[in-house]
C-alpha cells in the first residue's frame, strides 16, 4: 500500500447535505456526522424560498427573528454551508415541470430532482463522495412518496449516490451503505406525516428552536402567492419572470381593476419603503394631502387608470373618508405631477379585483 | 480593502454575493459590504462564523448597513 492510499483510507468520506433550514435536513446531516462522515451543506436559492426577506419588509414582523434558517442549521451542526443562486436555472423547472404541479404552483418532484442534480454536479466538481437529503417517505404528497423517491434518484443522475438517512432502511441499499462508508443499521426508518419521531430525535441531540415551516420550503405552496403568480403569467401572456417580479408578489395588496393594469398598494411603512425602491421601474403614487401608502402601477398608465389607481390607494390611507385626496404621481423618468381624486369606498371595489 | 455594494438586495442575496466575492479574495484581505436589508446584520456574521471568516465591524448608518469582514482560510 502506498502512503497516498494509506492517507486516503484515513480520510473521512465526504458528503454534501441538502440543507433547507428545516428540522429534517438538520437531523439527516447530524446522523451522518455521528457516523464520522465529513459533511458540508448546500442550499439552493430559487427566489421563492421562505426566508428572511418578508420579515425585513413588513413592520409587524420586525420583532420576529430575522435569521436565515439554513445558516442557523449549519451553525448548529458546525459545518460549512454553500448557498447557490439558481434563480435563472429554476425558471425552466417552474414553468415547464415534467411531473406537473402540486396543490398550488409547486413543482415539487421536478424541483427535488433539479436540486439533487445540482448537488450531484457539485460533488463531482468538489470531489465529494455522496449526497444526503432529509427526505422522509410519505411526508409530502408529491415528492416524498415511496414510488417517487426513486424517480428523484434516477432523474437527477445521482442514482445510488443519493442517501436519505431518515428513511434509508425502507429504501434499497445505496452505494455508501454497500461500500461500508456508512452503517445501514444506524440509519432510520421514518415514515409518514407524523413529526413526533423527528421531534424526539431533535430532543435527543439537544436541538431546540428549530424552524417548522407549515406549508413547505417555498412560497409556491402558498395558495395566495400562487394565485398572484398565475395572474402575472396570464397578464403577460407568458411564464417569464425575474427576481423583482417574484419579490413584488410577496409585498402589498395586489388589485387588478382591468386586464391591463395591476395596482400594488403597500400595507405599512416597511412595505412603502420597499416599494419605493421600484420607482424607476413603475409609475408610483402616494397621497400628499393625507398620510397614506405608496402604490405602484404595473401596466397601463393612461389618465383614466392613474385616476382609478389613486382612488383605490386613497381607500387605504388616512384620507379614506375625506371628500378629496391629492396624490403625487411619479413616472419612471422621475417626472411628477399632482392628481386629486375622491376615494373609492370599500363597497365600490369589486371583490374579484383582489388577486 | 475591496468593496461590494448589495444595496436593495434582500437576504439571502447579500450573503450569496458576499460568498461569491470572497472566493476570489486571498486570506487576510478585507471586504466592505454595503447593504440595506437589516437581515444581513444577522446573516453575514453567521455566514462568517460558519465559514471561518472574521467579522471586523458591522454598523447601521441611516438606512445603510456597513459590514466589514476579513477573509479567513479557504
Ligand atoms: S416546496 Fe418548493 S422548494 Fe420545496 S420541493 Fe416543493 S417546489 Fe421545491
Amino acid at each position: 500500500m502506498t502512503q497516498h492510499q494509506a492517507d486516503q483510507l484515513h480520510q473521512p468520506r465526504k458528503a454534501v447535505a441538502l440543507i433547507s433550514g428545516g428540522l429534517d435536513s438538520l437531523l439527516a446531516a447530524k446522523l451522518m456526522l455521528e457516523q464520522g462522515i465529513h459533511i458540508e451543506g448546500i442550499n439552493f436559492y430559487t427566489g421563492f424560498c421562505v426566508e428572511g426577506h418578508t420579515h425585513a419588509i413588513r413592520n409587524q414582523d420586525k420583532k420576529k427573528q430575522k435569521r436565515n434558517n439554513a445558516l442557523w442549521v449549519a451553525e448548529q451542526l458546525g459545518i460549512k454551508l454553500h448557498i447557490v443562486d439558481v434563480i435563472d436555472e429554476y425558471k425552466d423547472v417552474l414553468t415547464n415541470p415534467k411531473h406537473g404541479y402540486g396543490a398550488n404552483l409547486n413543482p415539487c418532484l421536478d424541483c427535488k430532482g433539479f436540486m439533487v442534480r445540482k448537488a450531484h454536479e457539485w460533488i463531482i466538481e468538489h470531489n465529494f463522495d455522496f449526497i444526503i437529503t432529509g427526505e422522509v417517505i410519505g411526508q409530502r404528497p408529491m415528492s416524498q412518496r415511496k414510488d417517487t423517491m426513486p424517480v428523484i434518484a434516477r432523474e437527477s443522475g445521482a442514482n445510488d449516490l443519493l442517501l436519505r438517512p431518515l428513511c434509508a432502511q425502507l429504501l434499497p441499499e445505496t452505494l455508501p451503505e454497500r461500500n461500508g462508508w456508512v452503517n445501514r443499521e444506524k440509519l432510520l426508518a421514518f415514515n409518514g406525516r407524523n413529526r413526533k419521531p423527528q421531534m424526539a430525535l431533535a430532543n435527543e441531540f439537544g436541538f431546540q428552536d428549530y424552524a417548522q415551516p407549515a406549508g413547505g420550503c417555498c412560497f409556491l405552496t402558498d395558495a395566495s402567492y400562487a394565485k398572484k403568480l398565475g395572474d402575472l403569467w396570464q397578464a403577460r401572456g407568458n411564464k417569464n419572470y425575474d427576481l423583482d417580479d417574484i419579490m413584488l408578489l410577496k409585498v402589498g395588496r395586489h388589485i387588478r381593476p382591468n386586464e391591463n393594469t395591476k395596482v400594488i398598494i403597500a400595507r405599512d411603512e416597511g412595505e412603502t419603503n420597499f416599494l419605493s425602491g421600484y420607482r424607476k421601474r413603475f409609475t408610483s403614487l402616494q397621497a400628499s394631502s393625507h398620510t397614506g401608502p405608496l402604490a405602484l402601477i404595473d401596466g397601463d398608465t393612461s389618465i383614466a387608470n392613474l385616476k382609478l389607481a389613486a382612488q383605490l390607494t386613497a381607500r387605504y390611507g388616512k384620507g379614506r373618508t375625506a371628500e378629496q385626496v391629492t396624490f403625487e404621481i411619479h413616472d419612471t423618468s422621475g417626472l411628477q405631477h399632482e392628481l386629486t381624486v375622491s376615494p373609492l369606498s370599500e363597497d365600490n371595489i369589486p371583490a374579484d379585483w383582489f388577486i | 480593502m475591496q468593496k461590494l455594494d448589495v444595496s436593495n438586495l434582500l437576504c439571502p442575496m447579500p450573503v450569496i454575493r458576499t460568498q461569491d466575492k470572497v472566493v476570489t479574495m486571498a486570506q487576510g484581505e478585507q471586504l466592505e459590504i454595503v447593504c440595506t436589508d437589516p437581515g444581513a446584520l444577522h446573516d453575514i456574521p453567521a455566514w462568517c462564523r460558519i465559514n471561518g471568516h472574521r467579522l471586523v465591524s458591522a454598523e447601521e448608518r441611516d438606512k445603510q448597513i456597513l459590514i466589514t469582514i476579513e477573509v479567513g482560510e479557504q
Side-chain angles (χ1 to χ4, degrees):
Chain A
M1 186 188 296
T2 65
Q3 187 58 42
H4 177 67
Q5 283 169 326
D7 286 349
Q8 272 199 327
L9 271 182
H10 292 103
Q11 290 277 326
R13 288 289 164 179
K14 296 195 280 188
V16 73
L18 262 68
I19 300 289
S20 65
L23 178 57
D24 295 350
S25 49
L26 170 69
L27 294 174
K30 179 70 180 169
L31 286 174
M32 289 294 96
L33 288 169
E34 295 278 296
Q35 290 211 26
I37 304 292
H38 171 88
I39 298 282
E40 294 189 18
I42 195 163
N43 173 263
F44 295 106
Y45 182 58
T46 63
F48 296 99
C49 309
V50 182
E51 273 309 337
H53 5 79
T54 28
H55 305 297
I57 300 164
R58 289 213 75 182
N59 288 347
Q60 67 190 53
D61 286 335
K62 270 205 168 132
K63 283 195 205 74
K64 271 198 203 165
Q65 254 188 329
K66 289 186 194 124
R67 77 179 186 201
N68 173 303
N69 286 312
L71 286 168
W72 182 83
V73 162
E75 199 165 11
Q76 297 301 302
L77 293 165
I79 63 171
K80 284 193 175 178
L81 179 73
H82 309 275
I83 308 180
V84 185
D85 166 1
V86 292
I87 297 166
D88 279 337
E89 280 174 272
Y90 194 72
K91 284 180 195 166
D92 191 45
V93 180
L94 173 58
T95 55
N96 229 339
K98 184 172 156 194
H99 299 285
Y101 298 106
N104 294 297
L105 280 178
N106 48 311
C108 291
L109 193 47
D110 290 81
C111 175
K112 270 279 151 62
F114 166 77
M115 289 185 182
V116 175
R117 177 161 58 78
K118 295 297 295 175
H120 187 224
E121 289 167 10
W122 193 94
I123 63 165
I124 292 170
E125 198 181 324
H126 294 84
N127 222 353
F128 272 49
D129 300 299
F130 60 103
I131 304 159
I132 65 157
T133 70
E135 290 163 290
V136 169
I137 291 180
Q139 176 117 205
R140 293 259 160 80
M142 193 177 187
S143 56
Q144 301 191 23
R145 292 196 322 242
K146 189 145 190 165
D147 59 329
T148 57
M149 289 176 96
V151 175
I152 296 170
R154 195 174 58 238
E155 292 189 356
S156 65
N159 296 310
D160 63 356
L161 294 181
L162 174 61
L163 173 69
R164 286 101 162 189
L166 298 183
C167 60
Q169 288 190 350
L170 303 171
L171 292 168
E173 231 181 8
T174 59
L175 188 88
E177 295 161 271
R178 271 203 311 279
N179 284 0
W181 304 339
V182 300
N183 180 350
R184 184 173 169 95
E185 307 269 286
K186 291 189 184 157
L187 301 175
L188 303 177
F190 287 176
N191 183 6
R193 299 183 74 95
N194 181 7
R195 308 278 305 152
K196 287 209 179 107
Q198 279 94 319
M199 283 149 90
L201 188 60
N203 204 20
E204 215 175 285
F205 284 133
F207 294 130
Q208 283 164 357
D209 197 25
Y210 42 83
Q212 298 254 48
C217 25
C218 85
F219 273 103
L220 297 169
T221 59
D222 181 88
S224 96
Y225 187 87
K227 197 171 162 208
K228 289 184 193 134
L229 181 59
D231 167 81
L232 181 91
W233 286 345
Q234 200 183 0
R236 290 207 174 145
N238 61 55
K239 289 183 171 183
N240 277 342
Y241 64 83
D242 61 25
L243 185 60
D244 282 339
D245 291 327
I246 59 186
M247 285 297 145
L248 280 170
L249 297 182
K250 297 176 190 170
V251 183
R253 287 184 182 82
H254 288 235
I255 303 175
R256 184 175 291 288
N258 55 53
E259 231 176 88
N260 305 326
T261 319
K262 181 169 78 168
V263 187
I264 306 172
I265 306 174
R267 288 170 294 191
D268 60 31
E269 207 190 320
E271 289 193 343
T272 285
N273 287 338
F274 180 77
L275 292 183
S276 66
Y278 288 90
R279 282 182 148 170
K280 287 206 179 104
R281 181 167 165 182
F282 299 98
T283 294
S284 65
L285 55 141
Q286 190 165 19
S288 53
S289 58
H290 298 80
T291 310
L294 183 90
L296 303 179
I297 304 179
D298 182 5
D300 180 358
T301 53
S302 62
I303 296 287
N305 269 336
L306 286 179
K307 191 173 162 223
L308 185 54
Q311 287 184 293
L312 279 167
T313 309
R315 153 75 190 82
Y316 297 100
K318 287 263 155 50
R320 67 176 68 96
T321 54
E323 284 278 301
Q324 299 213 298
V325 178
T326 302
F327 277 84
E328 241 177 43
I329 318 256
H330 285 241
D331 72 17
T332 49
S333 60
L335 288 177
Q336 291 183 30
H337 70 274
E338 284 198 338
L339 184 68
T340 299
V341 298
S342 44
L344 274 182
S345 71
E346 192 147 36
D347 304 343
N348 288 329
I349 308 177
D352 63 0
W353 285 11
F354 291 89
I355 309 167
Chain B
M1 165 139 62
Q2 303 213 34
K3 265 201 168 193
L4 177 71
D5 188 348
V6 285
S7 302
N8 297 324
L9 289 181
L10 297 173
C11 281
M13 286 312 289
V15 183
I16 296 177
R17 292 281 157 82
T18 300
Q19 169 191 272
D20 294 349
K21 177 80 188 165
V22 162
V23 289
T24 69
M25 294 171 63
Q27 185 172 359
E29 273 192 278
Q30 293 202 344
L31 175 69
E32 184 184 65
I33 305 141
V34 183
C35 51
T36 46
D37 181 355
L41 275 174
H42 194 281
D43 290 357
I44 290 178
W47 178 81
C48 285
R49 287 195 299 276
I50 291 165
N51 292 290
H53 308 296
R54 188 169 74 87
L55 180 74
V56 177
S57 64
E59 54 175 321
E60 215 168 339
R61 248 190 251 154
D62 298 327
K63 280 179 183 167
Q64 270 202 331
I65 292 159
L66 301 173
I67 301 175
T68 304
I69 66 173
E70 187 182 296
V71 177
E73 196 183 334
Q74 37 183 359

